[in-house]
Amino acid sequence: MSTVRIALAALPFPESPDAAVAAAVEAIAAAADAGADLVCFPECFVPGYRALGAPVPPATDAWLSAAHRTVADAAGRAGITVVLGTERFVEGALRITALVIGPDGRPLGWQDKVQLDPTEDALYEPGSGRGVFTVGDLTFGVVICHEGFRYPETVRAAVLGGAQLVLHPHYSEPEPGSFRPTAYAQPENTFHEAAVLCRAAENGCWFATVTCAVDGSPTTTAIARPDGSLLAWQAHGRSGLLVADLDLATATRSLALRLREAPPGRRQ
């Protein structure tokens, strides 16, 4: 039986870009101390998610590159795989992305956000393509926020590519007067937490979602089993690492692998 221990860094929204880097470095060390093989951060944690109007200073390529090197160095010191929600420039255009760093501190690649939320169109350029990453016995993919909630095909693509685990960095904050959840996937809440369970069940994969710890947020950090049941979740608004062991043998991916796509066209 192959088991992997993951940590999800449900941290407060960073006070500044430099504070985000410092918090990431601290969380990487804490995750390694907890015996985790991998730690994942929320969407755009470095330098901070700016699309909803947060006062995050404009990013520069030089600052982002230096921040990524600092996080990679921390991953190498701790000997842990890191999935960092961040930004990057591609041909001068800013993208939402996840930087994947191996336990030796070497970057393994990027997964850009392909399906942007409409609120992000003015700030970011969408990426293209979807890949998976393999470290040891674990193959995983990354889908970012809106992608995993509203575009199930993004998760299916990762699973068809071999992913036993799909990581879902996201960010959400409460709207004035909105429902304040006290449990996971309550019927009175938005659909988002229920969608997490669906993504796991419809693909037979582990699905791990992580967001910043924000008081009153409609979503929280959680891990869904391949059968769509809830393994673990963090109380809404509570900061800290959510650590869990995943049995990779249960990620059969059987339902995803049964996919038979009909050719496009109108039936007669």
Side-chain angles (χ1 to χ4, degrees):
M1 180 184 298
S2 180
T3 301
V4 64
R5 177 170 292 181
I6 68 168
L8 304 179
L11 304 179
F13 193 94
E15 296 181 357
S16 69
D18 288 340
V21 176
V25 168
E26 183 177 350
I28 289 167
D33 287 344
D37 303 294
L38 177 150
V39 60
C40 183
F41 291 86
E43 180 180 21
C44 289
F45 185 75
V46 173
Y49 184 78
R50 66 179 77 247
L52 295 180
V56 179
T60 66
D61 193 25
W63 187 90
L64 286 170
S65 295
H68 297 158
R69 286 195 298 271
T70 298
V71 172
D73 288 345
R77 288 194 302 272
I80 188 172
T81 300
V82 173
V83 180
L84 179 69
T86 186
E87 299 174 331
R88 70 167 177 149
F89 284 95
V90 177
E91 296 180 351
L94 191 62
R95 295 186 183 182
I96 294 174
T97 193
L99 169 60
V100 179
I101 304 163
D104 59 359
R106 296 181 182 180
L108 299 180
W110 308 86
Q111 177 59 67
D112 295 328
K113 191 171 186 177
V114 177
Q115 297 287 349
L116 296 181
D117 184 89
T119 60
E120 298 165 342
D121 285 344
L123 293 171
Y124 298 103
E125 175 186 87
S128 62
R130 193 160 302 281
V132 296
F133 305 88
T134 298
V135 179
D137 293 331
L138 175 65
T139 298
F140 62 92
V142 182
V143 300
I144 302 174
C145 198
H146 185 68
E147 295 184 314
F149 287 135
R150 294 185 183 271
Y151 295 87
E153 62 270 23
T154 62
V155 181
R156 178 62 54 85
V159 174
L160 290 177
Q164 304 139 310
L165 164 68
V166 176
L167 295 160
H168 182 234
H170 77 280
Y171 179 75
S172 63
E173 61 182 27
E175 297 181 1
S178 61
F179 177 75
R180 297 298 192 262
T182 58
Y184 195 81
Q186 289 176 274
E188 303 92 337
N189 201 359
T190 64
F191 76 95
H192 297 85
E193 291 185 338
V196 166
L197 306 180
C198 288
R199 296 297 88 82
E202 66 202 8
N203 291 292
C205 68
W206 290 95
F207 192 92
T209 184
V210 56
T211 186
C212 287
V214 177
D215 185 45
S217 172
T219 64
T220 190
T221 297
I223 302 169
R225 298 183 181 93
D227 64 2
S229 61
L230 188 64
L231 173 69
W233 64 285
Q234 191 93 326
H236 295 78
R238 187 175 74 191
S239 65
L241 294 177
L242 181 63
V243 180
D245 293 328
L246 312 185
D247 177 5
L248 299 183
T250 63
T252 64
R253 306 184 296 123
S254 59
L255 293 176
L257 294 174
R258 286 177 58 85
L259 176 67
R260 296 178 62 193
E261 294 194 54
R266 184 175 179 178
R267 279 190 169 184
Q268 298 299 321

